[in-house]
Amino acid sequence: MEDEEAEAVLRAVARQIKLWREAAGLKQTELGARIGYGEDLVSAVERAVRVPQPEFLDAADEVLNAGGKLSAMKEDVEKARYPKKVRDLKKQEDESVELGAYANHYVHGLLQTPEYARALYAMRRPAYTEEEIDRYVGARMARQAVFERVPRPTLTFVQEEVTLRRPIGGRTVLRKQLEHLLEVAALRHVEIQVMPNDREDHAGMGGPFRVLRLRKGRTVAHEEGQTYSRLISDNREVQLLEVRYGIIRAQALPPRESLTFIEEVLGEET
């Protein structure tokens, strides 16, 4: 567990599963056999060591005659499944009316396909477990709900050319990722720009970041490094990054030319 909030939710769910199982007079082995899971997994869930999948909760609810009480916990469990830094960032994104992001090493998380995201997490060192990779990929995909939110926020992205060419996950994954960029860029509230490698003057050499203008007029920023994820609320720092992002956008290719650029790169990959 990375935080007390998630741990408290999962322990509460685990306690309820155990209470309902005991009330039904079933052992962990018997419950597992009836819902299609092993005793070890049931035990791990009841000890809050493993996060129960939605299918687990639905099956347990039916077998234990919980009347929907266990199934109703799926939403809370789903939120607790994500790392705290992801939940905090998603909260800011959900409250934003305008979001601008500059990415220089890989395609920005909000623009990634599941395959591309999985490839990124799979190459992390020290290595993640498969369960951790599933957790992080699921969290990243959940954040993409910001594209469907109503009213629509204004979303702008600046991608370094190298992020369009680096074959993370292999050529097939890269082609699908480039196609996805073109699909997202077709949305009326989204603009994607490319920063070509040949730019001599570049305001973004300090690294990736994002700026978020929230509903009540407040603006915050966010940056992430090798070992940290930092939300920036100090007005002076935020204003500096706002100005920097504006310059980066001015130095990058305009949106329409950027789409043509992405199409050309995709053509080279086919």
Side-chain angles (χ1 to χ4, degrees):
M1 295 303 152
E2 294 187 348
D3 60 275
E4 294 180 358
E5 181 183 352
E7 184 175 3
V9 169
L10 295 180
R11 289 194 180 282
V13 172
R15 188 180 305 114
Q16 286 299 311
I17 293 172
K18 182 178 181 179
L19 289 173
W20 280 100
R21 176 181 61 77
E22 292 176 341
L26 296 178
K27 296 180 179 180
Q28 291 178 342
T29 306
E30 295 170 322
L31 174 60
R34 294 195 185 189
I35 64 177
Y37 293 91
E39 178 185 0
D40 290 344
L41 179 60
V42 175
S43 174
V45 168
E46 291 190 356
R47 289 181 288 116
V49 175
R50 291 285 299 273
V51 181
Q53 296 290 332
E55 296 81 6
F56 182 102
L57 292 172
D58 284 338
D61 188 280
E62 181 177 353
V63 169
L64 300 175
N65 295 315
K69 294 181 177 62
L70 294 180
S71 291
M73 295 179 174
K74 287 188 292 186
E75 183 176 351
D76 293 328
V77 170
E78 190 66 17
K79 291 178 181 178
R81 182 190 308 277
Y82 304 146
K84 184 178 186 303
K85 67 179 182 180
V86 175
R87 298 201 309 271
D88 291 343
L89 183 55
K90 186 177 187 305
K91 180 179 179 181
Q92 297 294 334
E93 290 169 347
D94 288 344
E95 294 178 2
S96 66
V97 296
E98 184 178 341
L99 182 152
Y102 164 64
N104 63 349
H105 288 310
Y106 46 79
V107 173
H108 190 273
L110 290 177
L111 299 173
Q112 292 174 10
T113 64
E115 296 82 3
Y116 187 96
R118 179 169 295 277
L120 270 177
Y121 285 120
M123 67 175 64
R124 291 293 181 93
R125 299 294 185 274
Y128 287 146
T129 65
E130 284 300 315
E131 184 178 357
E132 288 173 321
I133 292 174
D134 289 343
R135 184 183 182 210
Y136 278 102
V137 172
R140 181 155 290 181
M141 295 303 104
R143 285 175 48 213
Q144 295 182 6
V146 69
F147 289 103
E148 305 299 326
R149 204 185 70 219
V150 178
R152 297 283 195 248
T154 298
L155 305 171
T156 65
F157 302 87
V158 179
Q159 289 286 156
E160 286 289 338
E161 176 184 342
V162 66
T163 68
L164 308 178
R165 298 186 181 278
R166 181 171 289 135
I168 292 174
R171 295 294 175 183
T172 301
V173 171
L174 177 60
R175 285 196 297 272
K176 187 173 182 178
Q177 178 61 67
L178 293 173
E179 292 170 352
H180 182 66
L181 288 179
L182 295 173
E183 292 172 1
V184 174
L187 299 174
R188 296 176 61 186
H189 60 298
V190 178
E191 289 187 346
I192 298 177
Q193 294 178 250
V194 175
M195 179 71 79
N197 291 337
D198 62 4
R199 289 295 192 260
E200 295 183 7
D201 191 14
H202 192 335
M205 298 306 291
F209 64 93
R210 71 198 76 185
V211 178
L212 305 95
R213 193 180 306 278
L214 308 182
R215 289 194 186 100
K216 296 183 179 180
R218 181 176 173 231
T219 301
V220 297
H222 178 268
E223 63 178 4
E224 192 166 325
Q226 290 281 337
T227 59
Y228 69 90
S229 178
R230 184 169 78 104
L231 183 68
I232 304 169
S233 57
D234 179 80
N235 288 335
R236 290 172 296 181
E237 288 188 76
V238 172
Q239 288 173 2
L240 182 151
L241 291 175
E242 280 188 290
V243 171
R244 186 171 296 167
Y245 185 63
I247 296 173
I248 291 172
R249 291 198 69 191
Q251 293 171 332
L253 294 175
R256 184 167 296 181
E257 292 180 27
S258 294
L259 294 187
T260 300
F261 192 98
I262 296 173
E263 290 172 346
E264 293 173 352
V265 175
L266 176 59
E268 296 171 7
E269 293 295 327
T270 56

